[in-house]
Amino acid sequence: MKFLYSLGGGNIPVIREYDIEANKQFKKGQVVKISLEGVISTTAAGGCIGIAAEDHTAEKDILNERNNGTKLRVDITRHAVYEVDAPRLVATGGSNTTFVCSSTGLMENLENSTLVLVRKGENSENTDTVGTVRKVSLISVSNTSATFTISDGGIVSEGDVYALIPICGFMGNVGGNDGSFKCVSTMDSTPAFVMAYNTDTLTLEVMPKKDFIAY
């Protein structure tokens, strides 16, 4: 994730340093959490304190001694809006009016979302050009697959990759190893609202639902 601005009017993030274990790895843009014991990590069961503002590889680097140091810079800006890549979905099949993919990380309230073709599979029969927009009117999610009903167009083929762009106001989650946006609610992620989107850059502007915990 990349800081864009604060709803309070600021365009510079508020950064604070936290103590970490030297062997812990963090990636810039990851959600950072704190356990009840005060341990900073990306997987703690406790509250979210902010977004990692730097990489911490836990490996020695003569050009950057912070790489395996015991401090991490964290963005703790209140009411901050961040830029994230729109989720990418890989088709397992489909038709001229349906898109089928794995249901992992998806929920059913994605009607009125948009699918944008990013690239075609190796043996794709899809006649749409990259960048073609397909509107979603219905989605059905099972334990293993999700079927989107989409506007008429080229035949969606196995291996076709689409960017999923939810409508403004949609609430999903930011979490995981790369700080990516997920269209699913889980306990180990941070709920966030979609504030805006860009179908040209295939990015979303999202704001965490709750303020970060600042210790």
Side-chain angles (χ1 to χ4, degrees):
M1 290 196 295
K2 181 177 73 174
F3 175 87
L4 293 178
Y5 59 89
S6 166
L7 293 185
N11 58 5
I12 299 175
V14 178
I15 305 296
R16 180 175 177 178
E17 277 196 340
Y18 287 85
D19 293 328
I20 59 171
E21 297 176 21
N23 63 347
K24 294 291 185 180
Q25 294 184 345
F26 294 86
K27 185 177 180 180
K28 185 177 180 179
Q30 277 186 295
V31 173
V32 179
K33 300 182 179 182
I34 187 168
S35 70
L36 295 178
E37 294 76 27
V39 177
I40 305 295
S41 72
T42 58
T43 57
C48 210
I49 60 172
I51 308 297
E54 63 181 340
D55 292 323
H56 186 272
T57 65
E59 298 177 355
K60 185 176 181 179
D61 185 342
I62 60 173
L63 298 179
N64 183 7
E65 62 182 16
R66 295 179 65 89
N67 266 5
N68 64 340
T70 58
K71 298 285 186 180
L72 181 73
R73 298 172 71 247
V74 179
D75 176 358
I76 60 170
T77 311
R78 289 171 57 87
H79 309 307
V81 176
Y82 298 90
E83 181 182 83
V84 297
D85 290 331
R88 267 48 168 186
L89 304 178
V90 181
T92 56
S95 68
N96 61 313
T97 57
T98 59
F99 171 89
V100 182
C101 67
S102 168
S103 60
T104 302
L106 294 174
M107 50 190 179
E108 290 187 331
N109 59 340
L110 284 162
E111 289 85 356
N112 301 314
S113 297
T114 299
L115 288 174
V116 181
L117 181 59
V118 176
R119 64 178 180 274
K120 301 181 185 182
E122 184 177 355
N123 299 310
S124 177
E125 298 179 0
N126 196 336
T127 56
D128 288 340
T129 58
V130 170
T132 296
V133 174
R134 310 285 288 272
K135 296 296 294 184
V136 177
S137 58
L138 185 68
I139 176 174
S140 176
V141 178
S142 70
N143 290 334
T144 58
S145 67
T147 301
F148 293 77
T149 301
I150 58 179
S151 53
D152 195 11
I155 297 175
V156 176
S157 301
E158 182 179 1
D160 290 350
V161 178
Y162 284 79
L164 173 61
I165 300 181
I167 61 173
C168 293
F170 177 87
M171 187 177 74
N173 277 281
V174 176
N177 293 330
D178 54 0
S180 59
F181 186 81
K182 298 175 176 61
C183 298
V184 66
S185 294
T186 57
M187 293 300 291
D188 61 350
S189 298
T190 302
F193 290 107
V194 175
M195 305 289 288
Y197 57 81
N198 189 318
T199 55
D200 292 326
T201 61
L202 303 180
T203 55
L204 311 175
E205 294 184 14
V206 303
M207 183 182 74
K209 180 181 179 182
K210 295 182 179 180
D211 286 334
F212 296 135
I213 300 171
Y215 285 90

